[in-house]
Amino acid sequence: MIIFKGFLSTFMVTFFNSLKHSIMAVLKVIEVLSSSEVSWEDATQKAVTQAAKSLKHIRSVYVQEHSAQVKDGKVTEYRVNLKLTFEIE
């Protein structure tokens, strides 16, 4: 299960290409929730893989929160709350 909660913020980043000319890139940060029955790492990868189907130029992912669902003394689901940063064309 993956849920896109919405846009958190937009900000400008300046970087230099190989010709040392200034280029402005607009980056967007969204919050994404994901889960897995395997691990927190798998939940993170599922979120990035799913987001990459509709978003181009994903730059980074920040795992903001980990949680797990427990049933009968065993972890049944790993959950992550992520911040995903991508470049807007």
Side-chain angles (χ1 to χ4, degrees), residues 30-63:
I30 60 172
E31 189 171 359
V32 179
L33 304 177
S34 180
S35 64
S36 167
E37 294 178 356
V38 178
S39 67
W40 285 298
E41 292 84 0
D42 186 55
T44 301
Q45 185 59 59
K46 281 183 175 184
V48 172
T49 300
Q50 185 65 31
K53 291 179 182 178
S54 60
L55 301 174
K56 295 181 182 178
H57 312 295
I58 296 174
R59 295 260 185 107
S60 66
V61 62
Y62 169 71
V63 179

Side-chain angles (χ1 to χ4, degrees), residues 62-87:
Y62 169 71
V63 179
Q64 184 174 352
E65 185 178 347
H66 295 79
S67 63
Q69 184 174 14
V70 177
K71 185 174 182 182
D72 298 326
K74 295 189 180 193
V75 174
T76 59
E77 184 179 49
Y78 298 88
R79 298 175 179 171
V80 291
N81 183 340
L82 312 168
K83 287 190 178 182
L84 196 85
T85 304
F86 61 98
E87 183 178 339

Side-chain angles (χ1 to χ4, degrees), residues 21-32:
H21 294 179
S22 180
I23 298 174
M24 298 295 280
V26 177
L27 302 179
K28 192 70 109 168
V29 178
I30 60 172
E31 189 171 359
V32 179

